[in-house]
């Protein structure tokens, strides 16, 4: 009978490329910090416009902030982000399986920063809606960070995660 043991690290006779293929990223404080900050950024981005949304929309539609049309547009602006995130999160998960978690996390982080700047500088309601929807599209990091963390956790570091 042949006994097969799981590979734990580098086996004798492996080449340097084989070693890299079996090396698993480690769960460090730095990694946990970066993952936590990325999730915080996504949460902040979702609630970014809450304090000033009515004032911003009222300047776009030239009405008072408590007008029904303004409040309706604020609801659309807030909801558009969540709908976009819900629709595109599976795409980010699929993409992270294909090209890697780190690449997808960096793309999402850069996209989040860019769309926040573009949204803040928008000067019309259609532009604000477009950039808010794009911000939701770029916010696929939440699910990917959870998957990345799950891949780093094993029985030796589960309590730390």
């Amino acid at each position: 009978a042949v006994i097969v043991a799981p590979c734990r690290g580098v086996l004798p006779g492996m080449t340097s490329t084989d070693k890299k293929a079996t090396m698993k990223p480690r769960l460090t404080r730095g990694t946990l910090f970066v993952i936590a900050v990325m999730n915080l950024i996504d949460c902040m981005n979702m609630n970014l416009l809450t304090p000033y949304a009515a004032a911003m929309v009222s300047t776009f539609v030239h009405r008072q902030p408590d007008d029904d049309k303004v409040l309706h547009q604020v609801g659309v602006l807030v909801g558009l982000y969540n709908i976009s995130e819900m629709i595109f999160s599976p795409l980010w998960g699929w993409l992270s399986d294909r090209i890697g978690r780190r690449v997808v996390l960096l793309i999402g982080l850069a996209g989040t920063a860019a769309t926040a700047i573009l949204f803040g500088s928008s000067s019309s309601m259609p532009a604000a809606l477009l950039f808010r929807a794009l911000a939701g599209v770029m916010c696929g990091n939440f699910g990917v960070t959870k998957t990345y963390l799950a891949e780093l956790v094993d029985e030796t570091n589960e309590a730390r995660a």
Side-chain angles (χ1 to χ4, degrees), residues 53-55 57-58 61 63-78 125:
V57 171
S58 69
V61 296
R63 295 183 184 225
Q64 293 298 318
D66 60 349
D67 187 82
D68 286 343
K69 183 175 181 177
V70 170
L71 297 177
H72 175 75
Q73 290 295 323
V74 167
V76 170
L77 201 58
V78 170
M125 194 65 201

Side-chain angles (χ1 to χ4, degrees), residues 9-156:
V10 180
L11 297 175
M14 283 185 156
T15 65
S16 61
T17 55
D18 293 336
K19 291 176 188 176
K20 288 179 184 174
T22 61
M23 301 278 295
K24 179 180 173 182
R26 294 181 3 185
L27 182 64
T28 62
R29 289 180 193 239
T31 304
L32 283 174
F33 177 76
V34 169
I35 289 172
V37 167
M38 289 182 113
N39 283 333
L40 178 66
I41 289 170
D42 284 345
C43 290
M44 286 172 44
N45 195 28
M46 184 170 55
N47 297 310
L48 181 71
L49 72 126
T50 304
Y52 60 89
M56 182 181 189
V57 171
S58 69
T59 61
F60 293 154
V61 296
H62 307 293
R63 295 183 184 225
Q64 293 298 318
D66 60 349
D67 187 82
D68 286 343
K69 183 175 181 177
V70 170
L71 297 177
H72 175 75
Q73 290 295 323
V74 167
V76 170
L77 201 58
V78 170
L80 193 57
Y81 178 90
N82 296 324
I83 290 171
S84 298
E85 180 183 10
M86 181 184 70
I87 291 170
F88 284 93
S89 283
L91 172 75
W92 288 111
W94 175 84
L95 195 60
S96 74
D97 289 340
R98 301 298 179 274
I99 64 173
R101 311 267 186 254
R102 289 182 184 177
V103 174
V104 168
L105 290 172
L106 291 173
I107 292 170
L109 191 60
T112 297
T115 55
I117 291 168
L118 291 169
F119 174 76
S121 63
S122 59
S123 58
S124 68
M125 194 65 201
L129 290 169
L130 172 69
F131 295 132
R132 190 66 180 160
L134 286 175
V137 168
M138 298 307 295
C139 184
N141 283 348
F142 202 70
V144 177
T145 55
K146 289 188 177 298
T147 304
Y148 186 61
L149 185 60
E151 290 173 349
L152 296 177
V153 172
D154 58 18
E155 58 275 349
T156 64

